[in-house]
Amino acid sequence: MPRAKGRSSLLALARNALPAFAGILLTSSLGGAPLTKPIASYQISCRLDAEKKIVEGTELLTWTNTTRNPATSLQFHLYLNAFRNTLSTFWRESGGIHRRDRLPESWGSIEVTRMTLADGSDLLPALAWISPDDGNPHDRTVAEVQLSRPVAPGETISVSIDFRSRLPRVAARTGWKGDFFLVAQWFPKIGVLEERGWNCHQFHSVSEFFADFGDYDVSIDVPARYRGKVGATGVRVEERNLPGERVLYRFRQESVHDFAWTADPDYLVVDDVFREPGIADVQIHLLLQPEHRAQEARYLTSAKAALSGYGRVLGPYPYPTLTIVDPPWGGRGAGGMEYPTFITGGTHRMSPVKENSPEDVTIHEFGHQYFYGLLASNEFEEPWLDEGFNEYMEDRVVGAVYGSDNPILTVFGWRFPIGIPIRRPLDVNRRYFKVAGEDVLAAPSWKFRSAASYGGQVYSKTALALATLERLIGTPAMNRALRLYADRWRFRHPKTADFIAAVNEVTGQNWRWFFDRTFFASGAVDYAVESATSERATPPKGLFEQEGRLVEKNPPDLANPKGWDSVVTVVRKGEVALPVEIALKFDGGHTYRSRWDGEARWRRFRVERGPKLIEATVDPAEKILLDVDRTNNGRLVTPDPRAASRWTSRAVFWMQNLVDFLTVAW
Amino acid sequence: MSRRVSAAGCFLRGVALSLSKPYLAVSVWLIQLLLACVLILPVSNALHALLDHSSTGSRMVADPDFGWWETVRRVHPDLLGVLPTAVQDATGVEGVKPGSLAGLQGIGATAISLAFLGIVLHAFALGGIFGALREPHSSLVVFGREGMRRFPAFLAFTLAALAAALAAYHWIYLVTGDAWRDRIEDLDTEGQAMALTAARVGVLLLALAAIKLIADSVRAIWVARPDLPAVSRLFAGVAAAFSRPARLLGVLVLYVFSGAVLYFLWIFLDPSAGGEARFALVPLILAQQVFVFLRSLLKVGYYAGVSEALTRVPSPEYSYVPAAGVAPPPSVSRAPDEAAVDGPSGTI
């Protein structure tokens, strides 16, 4: 199709046009050996009751204590209990609204019906609910069992668990809608044991997940009408008919830290392959809704662009498969989410090309295969390391492949692009400016003032801060820092300090101050040109020394000054200081550039007897993307009324039309 | 021999009448211009203060800059308030709530107030238009006189129609939107959801069209049948609308269509784009006002078309008597279904 061809051309163009990715050699980490040593591995057999919306299963957890301390207890995530009632921490924090959607009053839960160790000892009586984050006595999303015998450092144990999961109407990344199922956070999953103890957070409204790597082997028993319409984390290794009009699918994947699956008899299954020299092929499975059939190429092209773009900066995607789920109408709560090797997208029946949906969401969720999947940072405690870093990379990849987006005007459900470009990364992250100063970016996810502040800080401020850093240290250095960070921390749990260390190592400078002012402070950046004047130079007046006497006469060299005297005052209106450039543009095309460390509250630039000043601009190259008000960054010496006059005439014209419309109606 | 009058014929005759009495369109255009001019100073001052010294201004000459627009909305909420959001909500699936008006500030609030004032002035203008249309030798003086003469009644019709329209919006669009807000997600496909919204919009548009046509019929008959008592004129107007629904709706559809064509041409040609090179300010303003004047001509033409669709002979209220041979004999030009209201010689 022409569109698909066009997008393929875009992809090819992007490969050539991505200077940011130049010079980075792709190397494969696939070689048959385990990608990483497993800590928490699962063998799960489950059965879906599609009518009752219940998954019953048995899991065998194999867990190794990798700390230096004995473990006297085990802690488990039981996250479906977030949907158990309105007293859960998730419901309390969300107020019944998630991602601007009202949560359906359809309840979900997970019950553990058996928990035994390999020696047969029953752990269930020792299971107790805990709420380490907020002390909510009604929250049932984290459970702890005391062990009769501690697990020694380096020791591996097996825990056998039976569970029963009731799925809610799809919301907050899991559930059902009709025959569609997105089954996530559905099995008892062990927390992360650190040297300081268990790291096992409750299910919060805006936060995501944190778990250890392991190998997953999952068998899923579904009604026969789902034959061929089941997708999951990892590689499908078995399909087998079962008695009673049922079918079993088995999936395996090593070196991941979660497992999700989906089933929908309406899926159109599209298979494709991502191929790039030097790295192993990736099988792409697209599970598409029939009414989105026309967007098949858009999904696949964007997925390949993501595989290529992220891979070139952060190293090759190491898994053999990528499954993309297109949620149905009414299943928006399942959209825009990431699980290992498995992402959910989302689009509209009629999505204008310049809306870049499903492209944006596909690329973003794929990006989490790195920032969350491979670089498994703690999404509760440092959410910017996955969402913010990924937003930054998404802006780079989408910007390189698709350019700018357009805002969308929705008229009675129909979507129309408005011909105003939304530039990346500045314009797409403007939501930060609305919440600048509300929170410190570096805060636990559940401690932000609001969901808007969380989104503005964690996603957008991080993206703008990293883009600013890239402009300060240069794109090649930024790429090397990202690659060093990604290589060093692949299959581990990195922290912010680890990325700062990578930046310092690559640049040979200490950039801690930058992160202190952007990540660890709440203040805003705002530089402005307060005034810019340029007046014809005049001879000085007063008494001057001439031949040893004071006389009221100008010295000959000052009597007839030529040129213009220009004065520019640049001010720092925000609390945060960053180094900025100042450009003074003079008549005749001369431009004078200067750097200012930005620390003082203001700085004045004076040019005597020079050409006439035309314009003064602070940060002319738009490096400081965190500047909350760019409209005050440039100032003309001579006002130019053209734009205002034209827009005034437009305003009056459309006001006339509004009056015409309203009066003609009645 | 009688001949059926088509909606297109009525509309075209209405436009011809409008062209023959251009001062009516000029009057409508002037009212709209003067109302809009109230905004010139606050809009102009705000824009000049924000753009004249700004480097962004040069980028804004032709096209808006997303970043500038977003920043101004954020930094200067006093300028527009929630107007952009309210406008977008009005065309949203759930619709705009009356409470949205409470959040309006500055220029946005002024614009809405002016629109209400425009509705009141429109009642005056309609009296003038309908009255002057029935005078073969009318003038601006006639327009003013007729406007003032009909003003109380026409204002009442206008307010009643406005109230009915708001009620229709509330009961047909908002209430159904609320009722379906949760259930719409249960539909199988987005296509079904869009069809449901389209049905809600369609029913709303039909209701609004019915309200408008009834109001316009009442106005037309109010002027055409001054011999009847007020209550009779009111009911005769309503009856007239129901007696010729297809023809009236046809006139309305042609009016909406021709207006849409004008807007399409305006947006397609986009004379305000391209910066200073393609269109300087004065030609731009002239083009804008020519466009609005054409809209006004069509508007007057529509009302004349409605009048044509309902009655085509001068009212006996006036002294003018058509010369023999000028006015077509009623049996030739009148449609068979016009007998109830047409023909002063027959029924008055």
Side-chain angles (χ1 to χ4, degrees), chain A residues 135-163:
Chain A
N136 176 4
H138 304 288
D139 196 63
R140 296 284 183 271
T141 56
V142 176
E144 182 175 43
V145 287
Q146 296 297 330
L147 299 171
S148 54
R149 184 184 69 79
V151 182
E155 182 183 354
T156 297
I157 62 168
S158 294
V159 185
S160 182
I161 303 170
D162 288 353
F163 62 93

CSV table of all heavy atoms in Angstrom, one decimal, chain A residues 135-163:
chain,number,residue,atom,x,y,z
A,135,GLY,N,0.8,2.1,55.0
A,135,GLY,CA,0.2,1.6,56.2
A,135,GLY,C,-1.3,1.4,56.1
A,135,GLY,O,-2.0,1.2,57.1
A,136,ASN,N,-1.8,1.4,54.9
A,136,ASN,CA,-3.3,1.2,54.7
A,136,ASN,C,-3.6,-0.2,55.1
A,136,ASN,O,-3.3,-1.2,54.5
A,136,ASN,CB,-3.6,1.4,53.2
A,136,ASN,CG,-5.0,1.1,52.9
A,136,ASN,OD1,-5.8,0.8,53.8
A,136,ASN,ND2,-5.4,1.2,51.6
A,137,PRO,N,-4.4,-0.4,56.2
A,137,PRO,CA,-4.7,-1.7,56.7
A,137,PRO,C,-5.7,-2.5,55.8
A,137,PRO,O,-5.8,-3.7,55.9
A,137,PRO,CB,-5.4,-1.5,58.0
A,137,PRO,CG,-6.0,-0.1,57.9
A,137,PRO,CD,-5.1,0.7,57.0
A,138,HIS,N,-6.3,-1.8,54.8
A,138,HIS,CA,-7.2,-2.5,53.9
A,138,HIS,C,-6.6,-2.9,52.6
A,138,HIS,O,-7.2,-3.6,51.8
A,138,HIS,CB,-8.4,-1.5,53.6
A,138,HIS,CG,-9.1,-1.0,54.8
A,138,HIS,ND1,-9.9,-1.9,55.6
A,138,HIS,CD2,-9.1,0.2,55.4
A,138,HIS,CE1,-10.4,-1.2,56.6
A,138,HIS,NE2,-9.9,0.1,56.5
A,139,ASP,N,-5.4,-2.5,52.4
A,139,ASP,CA,-4.7,-2.9,51.1
A,139,ASP,C,-4.2,-4.3,51.2
A,139,ASP,O,-3.7,-4.8,52.2
A,139,ASP,CB,-3.5,-1.9,50.9
A,139,ASP,CG,-3.0,-2.0,49.5
A,139,ASP,OD1,-3.8,-1.7,48.6
A,139,ASP,OD2,-1.9,-2.4,49.2
A,140,ARG,N,-4.4,-5.0,50.1
A,140,ARG,CA,-4.1,-6.5,50.1
A,140,ARG,C,-3.1,-6.8,48.9
A,140,ARG,O,-3.2,-7.8,48.3
A,140,ARG,CB,-5.4,-7.3,49.9
A,140,ARG,CG,-6.3,-7.2,51.1
A,140,ARG,CD,-5.8,-8.0,52.3
A,140,ARG,NE,-6.7,-8.0,53.4
A,140,ARG,CZ,-6.7,-7.1,54.4
A,140,ARG,NH1,-5.8,-6.1,54.4
A,140,ARG,NH2,-7.6,-7.2,55.4
A,141,THR,N,-2.3,-5.8,48.5
A,141,THR,CA,-1.5,-6.0,47.4
A,141,THR,C,-0.1,-6.5,47.7
A,141,THR,O,0.7,-6.9,46.7
A,141,THR,CB,-1.4,-4.7,46.5
A,141,THR,OG1,-0.8,-3.7,47.4
A,141,THR,CG2,-2.7,-4.3,46.0
A,142,VAL,N,0.3,-6.6,48.9
A,142,VAL,CA,1.6,-7.1,49.3
A,142,VAL,C,1.4,-8.1,50.5
A,142,VAL,O,0.7,-7.7,51.5
A,142,VAL,CB,2.6,-6.1,49.7
A,142,VAL,CG1,3.9,-6.7,50.2
A,142,VAL,CG2,2.9,-5.1,48.5
A,143,ALA,N,1.9,-9.3,50.4
A,143,ALA,CA,1.8,-10.3,51.5
A,143,ALA,C,3.2,-10.7,51.9
A,143,ALA,O,4.1,-10.7,51.1
A,143,ALA,CB,0.9,-11.4,51.0
A,144,GLU,N,3.3,-11.1,53.1
A,144,GLU,CA,4.6,-11.6,53.6
A,144,GLU,C,4.3,-12.9,54.4
A,144,GLU,O,3.3,-13.1,55.1
A,144,GLU,CB,5.2,-10.6,54.6
A,144,GLU,CG,6.5,-11.0,55.1
A,144,GLU,CD,7.2,-9.9,56.0
A,144,GLU,OE1,6.4,-9.3,56.8
A,144,GLU,OE2,8.4,-9.6,55.9
A,145,VAL,N,5.3,-13.8,54.1
A,145,VAL,CA,5.2,-15.1,54.9
A,145,VAL,C,6.5,-15.3,55.7
A,145,VAL,O,7.6,-15.1,55.1
A,145,VAL,CB,5.0,-16.3,54.0
A,145,VAL,CG1,3.6,-16.4,53.5
A,145,VAL,CG2,6.0,-16.4,52.9
A,146,GLN,N,6.4,-15.6,56.9
A,146,GLN,CA,7.6,-15.8,57.8
A,146,GLN,C,8.0,-17.2,57.5
A,146,GLN,O,7.2,-18.2,57.5
A,146,GLN,CB,7.3,-15.6,59.2
A,146,GLN,CG,6.9,-14.1,59.6
A,146,GLN,CD,8.0,-13.2,59.3
A,146,GLN,OE1,9.2,-13.5,59.5
A,146,GLN,NE2,7.7,-11.9,59.0
A,147,LEU,N,9.3,-17.4,57.4
A,147,LEU,CA,9.9,-18.8,57.2
A,147,LEU,C,10.3,-19.4,58.5
A,147,LEU,O,10.9,-18.7,59.3
A,147,LEU,CB,11.0,-18.7,56.2
A,147,LEU,CG,10.7,-18.1,54.8
A,147,LEU,CD1,12.0,-17.9,54.0
A,147,LEU,CD2,9.8,-19.1,54.0
A,148,SER,N,10.1,-20.7,58.6
A,148,SER,CA,10.5,-21.3,59.8
A,148,SER,C,12.0,-21.5,59.8
A,148,SER,O,12.6,-21.5,60.9
A,148,SER,CB,9.8,-22.7,59.9
A,148,SER,OG,10.0,-23.4,58.8
A,149,ARG,N,12.6,-21.6,58.6
A,149,ARG,CA,14.0,-21.6,58.5
A,149,ARG,C,14.5,-20.6,57.5
A,149,ARG,O,14.0,-20.6,56.3
A,149,ARG,CB,14.4,-23.0,58.0
A,149,ARG,CG,15.9,-23.3,57.9
A,149,ARG,CD,16.3,-24.7,57.4
A,149,ARG,NE,16.0,-24.8,55.9
A,149,ARG,CZ,16.8,-24.3,55.0
A,149,ARG,NH1,17.9,-23.6,55.3
A,149,ARG,NH2,16.4,-24.4,53.7
A,150,PRO,N,15.4,-19.7,57.9
A,150,PRO,CA,15.9,-18.7,56.9
A,150,PRO,C,16.5,-19.3,55.7
A,150,PRO,O,17.1,-20.4,55.7
A,150,PRO,CB,16.9,-17.9,57.7
A,150,PRO,CG,16.6,-18.2,59.2
A,150,PRO,CD,16.1,-19.6,59.2
A,151,VAL,N,16.4,-18.5,54.6
A,151,VAL,CA,17.1,-18.9,53.4
A,151,VAL,C,18.5,-18.3,53.4
A,151,VAL,O,18.6,-17.1,53.5
A,151,VAL,CB,16.3,-18.4,52.1
A,151,VAL,CG1,17.1,-18.9,50.8
A,151,VAL,CG2,14.9,-18.9,52.2
A,152,ALA,N,19.5,-19.1,53.4
A,152,ALA,CA,20.9,-18.6,53.5
A,152,ALA,C,21.3,-17.9,52.2
A,152,ALA,O,20.8,-18.1,51.1
A,152,ALA,CB,21.8,-19.8,53.7
A,153,PRO,N,22.3,-17.0,52.4
A,153,PRO,CA,22.8,-16.3,51.2
A,153,PRO,C,23.3,-17.3,50.1
A,153,PRO,O,24.0,-18.3,50.5
A,153,PRO,CB,24.0,-15.5,51.7
A,153,PRO,CG,23.6,-15.3,53.1
A,153,PRO,CD,22.9,-16.5,53.6
A,154,GLY,N,22.9,-17.1,48.9
A,154,GLY,CA,23.2,-18.0,47.8
A,154,GLY,C,22.3,-19.2,47.7
A,154,GLY,O,22.4,-20.0,46.7
A,155,GLU,N,21.5,-19.5,48.7
A,155,GLU,CA,20.6,-20.7,48.7
A,155,GLU,C,19.4,-20.5,47.7
A,155,GLU,O,18.9,-19.4,47.6
A,155,GLU,CB,20.1,-21.0,50.1
A,155,GLU,CG,19.3,-22.2,50.2
A,155,GLU,CD,18.7,-22.5,51.6
A,155,GLU,OE1,19.1,-21.7,52.5
A,155,GLU,OE2,17.9,-23.4,51.7
A,156,THR,N,19.0,-21.6,47.1
A,156,THR,CA,17.9,-21.5,46.2
A,156,THR,C,16.7,-22.4,46.8
A,156,THR,O,17.0,-23.5,47.3
A,156,THR,CB,18.2,-22.0,44.8
A,156,THR,OG1,19.2,-21.2,44.3
A,156,THR,CG2,17.0,-22.1,43.9
A,157,ILE,N,15.5,-21.8,46.8
A,157,ILE,CA,14.4,-22.6,47.4
A,157,ILE,C,13.3,-22.6,46.3
A,157,ILE,O,13.3,-21.9,45.3
A,157,ILE,CB,13.8,-21.9,48.6
A,157,ILE,CG1,13.3,-20.5,48.3
A,157,ILE,CG2,14.8,-21.9,49.8
A,157,ILE,CD1,12.4,-19.9,49.4
A,158,SER,N,12.4,-23.6,46.5
A,158,SER,CA,11.2,-23.7,45.6
A,158,SER,C,10.0,-23.5,46.4
A,158,SER,O,9.8,-24.1,47.5
A,158,SER,CB,11.2,-25.0,44.9
A,158,SER,OG,12.3,-25.1,44.0
A,159,VAL,N,9.1,-22.7,45.9
A,159,VAL,CA,7.8,-22.5,46.6
A,159,VAL,C,6.7,-22.9,45.6
A,159,VAL,O,6.7,-22.4,44.4
A,159,VAL,CB,7.6,-21.0,47.0
A,159,VAL,CG1,6.3,-20.9,47.8
A,159,VAL,CG2,8.8,-20.6,47.8
A,160,SER,N,5.8,-23.7,46.0
A,160,SER,CA,4.7,-24.1,45.1
A,160,SER,C,3.4,-23.4,45.6
A,160,SER,O,3.1,-23.4,46.8
A,160,SER,CB,4.5,-25.6,45.2
A,160,SER,OG,3.4,-26.0,44.4
A,161,ILE,N,2.7,-22.7,44.6
A,161,ILE,CA,1.6,-21.9,45.0
A,161,ILE,C,0.4,-22.2,44.1
A,161,ILE,O,0.6,-22.3,42.9
A,161,ILE,CB,2.0,-20.4,44.9
A,161,ILE,CG1,3.2,-20.1,45.7
A,161,ILE,CG2,0.8,-19.5,45.2
A,161,ILE,CD1,3.8,-18.7,45.4
A,162,ASP,N,-0.7,-22.3,44.7
A,162,ASP,CA,-2.0,-22.4,43.9
A,162,ASP,C,-2.7,-21.0,44.1
A,162,ASP,O,-2.7,-20.4,45.2
A,162,ASP,CB,-2.9,-23.4,44.4
A,162,ASP,CG,-2.4,-24.8,44.1
A,162,ASP,OD1,-1.4,-24.9,43.3
A,162,ASP,OD2,-3.0,-25.8,44.6
A,163,PHE,N,-3.2,-20.5,43.0
A,163,PHE,CA,-3.8,-19.2,43.1
A,163,PHE,C,-5.1,-19.1,42.2
A,163,PHE,O,-5.2,-19.9,41.3
A,163,PHE,CB,-2.9,-18.1,42.7
A,163,PHE,CG,-2.4,-18.1,41.3
A,163,PHE,CD1,-3.0,-17.4,40.3
A,163,PHE,CD2,-1.3,-18.9,41.0
A,163,PHE,CE1,-2.6,-17.5,39.0
A,163,PHE,CE2,-0.8,-19.0,39.7
A,163,PHE,CZ,-1.5,-18.3,38.7
